[in-house]
Amino acid sequence: MHWKMKRSIQFIMAHLPFGEHLNHIAQKAAGSFSPEAQLWSLVAQAGYLRALDERHPLEGATVVEIGPGWQGLGTLLLHLFGAAKIIAFDHQPHFRRRLFDSLVETAEASIEALSNASGIDRAALARRLGDFPDLDYRAPGDAAVTGLPDASIDLVYSYGVLEHIDRPDLEAIARETARILKPTGRAAHNIGLHDHFASAGLGNGVNFLRYSKRRWNFWNRNAILNHNRMRLPDYFELFADAGLCPVWSQRELRSENLEALRSLRIHSDFRHFGVEDLAASHLYIDLSSNGANETNLI
């Protein structure tokens, strides 16, 4: 199967010297940073940030971004939405200025589509695309030990990152988030709960729930692909234990996941979860550190 081949290749790369760099080269060769792929990602994340901006305005915000990645896509969009300063933490120095510049070029060439997705007028986009963000890039960096003052941050942000971090580290990041957020601040996360091999021939996003912890960790707990397989209630429990209160959340349920669970044999580690908690493919959540009233929760 295609997904098993991809898993095996990533497993081998993860155990080679400079494996992450080799994986990056493979991603480039596969078109992951093509203008078409960049535009798709820009439009998708711009729509997410547009909704966040309506709930919690980003203009003038000081932001901690967790996991900006190779091209700084979230970094660029936070800047376009008016963030005043971005402090970005990554476990390795992945960020490449040439990829960022290429991303800016893609945005400039498709400014109408980006304006429609973001709700930002073209003049403001053009002006901000001409300026490099006020970026404090910390890599290797630890979002669990930021060194930032208490109650100094307006937004802690991640997009498709937390699912790749093991639970003990997530618990530490959540505690640090609660410490550095202003009373009016928010943490906002887009968390992928699905099997990330879903696009490689699986046909569903729940296949990884078949495997024991030992078997899954052998193949998939590495520097290139790590998925903690935490389910939606695990995240709510983790955030609550750290003193973070959900103030808004949504989940994504996909029909193919629900259908697959009718016949898929789930490992005993996951059988205590309800069907919808197993099937949920994304969790979108805003959190506060001051016990703000819950407004729209799943």
Side-chain angles (χ1 to χ4, degrees):
M1 293 177 66
H2 184 196
W3 76 271
K4 288 186 176 180
M5 182 182 297
K6 182 177 180 180
R7 177 194 67 181
S8 298
I9 292 170
Q10 290 179 330
F11 176 84
I12 293 169
M13 284 185 175
H15 292 85
L16 291 174
F18 309 107
E20 282 193 273
H21 182 66
L22 292 174
N23 184 59
H24 176 56
I25 293 172
Q27 288 178 321
K28 288 178 66 177
S32 296
F33 304 106
S34 68
E36 294 79 14
Q38 288 179 327
L39 179 59
W40 185 91
S41 297
L42 280 166
V43 167
Q45 196 167 161
Y48 176 81
L49 277 170
R50 180 179 186 172
L52 173 60
D53 186 53
E54 291 172 356
R55 300 189 301 271
H56 185 70
L58 301 176
E59 185 73 39
T62 299
V63 181
V64 163
E65 183 185 10
I66 302 172
W70 294 96
Q71 58 184 339
L73 192 145
T75 306
L76 174 61
L77 287 169
L78 288 164
H79 169 65
L80 296 181
F81 274 90
K85 184 175 182 62
I86 301 163
I87 308 164
F89 290 84
D90 215 338
H91 73 292
Q92 293 290 338
H94 288 143
F95 181 78
R96 298 292 185 270
R97 179 61 189 263
R98 66 181 183 276
L99 286 178
F100 182 87
D101 291 343
S102 170
L103 190 68
V104 170
E105 291 175 4
T106 297
E108 289 173 335
S110 304
I111 199 165
E112 186 69 28
L114 186 55
S115 178
N116 290 338
S118 66
I120 304 170
D121 68 77
R122 292 180 60 174
L125 283 177
R127 184 174 64 255
R128 288 173 177 167
L129 283 168
D131 297 326
F132 190 77
D134 184 354
L135 175 63
D136 179 354
Y137 182 61
R138 305 187 183 187
D142 189 350
V145 188
T146 65
L148 298 170
D150 293 355
S152 59
I153 299 299
D154 298 296
L155 176 69
V156 175
Y157 178 77
S158 75
Y159 192 95
V161 173
L162 298 193
E163 65 266 28
H164 301 297
I165 301 175
D166 291 332
R167 181 159 185 163
D169 296 324
L170 280 180
E171 290 170 347
I173 289 171
R175 290 192 296 269
E176 180 73 348
T177 294
R179 183 186 71 79
I180 64 176
L181 276 182
K182 294 178 180 178
T184 56
R186 292 288 183 271
H189 303 293
N190 176 342
I191 305 170
L193 305 171
H194 60 292
D195 188 332
H196 282 33
F197 289 115
S199 61
L202 276 176
N204 69 75
V206 294
N207 183 71
F208 64 176
L209 302 178
R210 298 167 49 198
Y211 300 109
S212 67
K213 182 177 181 180
R214 176 180 293 182
R215 187 175 177 188
W216 178 258
N217 285 349
F218 174 79
W219 283 104
N220 300 284
R221 193 173 184 271
N222 56 61
I224 291 176
L225 179 67
N226 181 49
H227 199 301
N228 59 42
R229 298 192 296 168
M230 288 170 56
R231 310 321 297 152
L232 188 146
D234 294 327
Y235 283 100
F236 276 93
E237 177 184 63
L238 182 151
F239 291 135
D241 288 347
L244 294 170
C245 303
V247 295
W248 177 90
S249 65
Q250 287 185 349
R251 67 180 173 188
E252 178 186 70
L253 282 174
R254 300 185 67 87
S255 58
E256 59 264 32
N257 293 352
L258 292 166
E259 182 62 29
L261 287 169
R262 295 179 184 273
S263 56
L264 196 67
R265 183 173 177 80
I266 300 301
H267 191 270
S268 58
D269 289 348
F270 300 100
R271 291 178 192 162
H272 62 286
F273 291 108
V275 171
E276 292 191 348
D277 288 335
L278 292 171
S281 56
H282 279 88
L283 169 63
Y284 313 105
I285 189 165
D286 296 355
L287 302 134
S288 167
S289 63
N290 69 351
N293 292 329
E294 298 176 352
T295 57
N296 180 23
L297 300 179
I298 54 176

